Amino acid sequence: MVKGELLRWEPSSCRRCLRREAKRVYNIHIGVCARCTHRDYCPDSRALYELGFPK
């Protein structure tokens, strides 16, 4: 690995753990993201919401 090199990380988990973690991170994210705090939800928050709160 070279300093500054980007690495791909592909975690895996059960759906229950995935949803729990996505909900946790989503709730943190919408409180600190400049776009999300103004209710202009960014792509990251929308992705986290879809993972944590599936239809």
Side-chain angles (χ1 to χ4, degrees):
M1 177 167 65
V2 178
K3 185 176 180 178
E5 177 183 12
L6 295 176
L7 299 175
R8 184 176 300 267
W9 180 53
E10 297 181 16
S12 62
S13 68
C14 67
R15 287 185 183 182
R16 182 175 154 208
C17 291
L18 168 73
R19 287 185 181 136
R20 183 182 67 229
E21 187 65 8
K23 286 177 186 180
R24 185 185 74 78
V25 174
Y26 172 78
N27 287 321
I28 293 168
H29 179 86
I30 62 171
V32 297
C33 174
R35 285 181 64 185
C36 294
T37 56
H38 294 7
R39 301 193 195 280
D40 180 26
Y41 298 105
C42 73
D44 291 339
S45 69
R46 289 191 293 263
L48 286 165
Y49 186 85
E50 291 296 319
L51 285 172
F53 304 92
K55 295 175 186 170

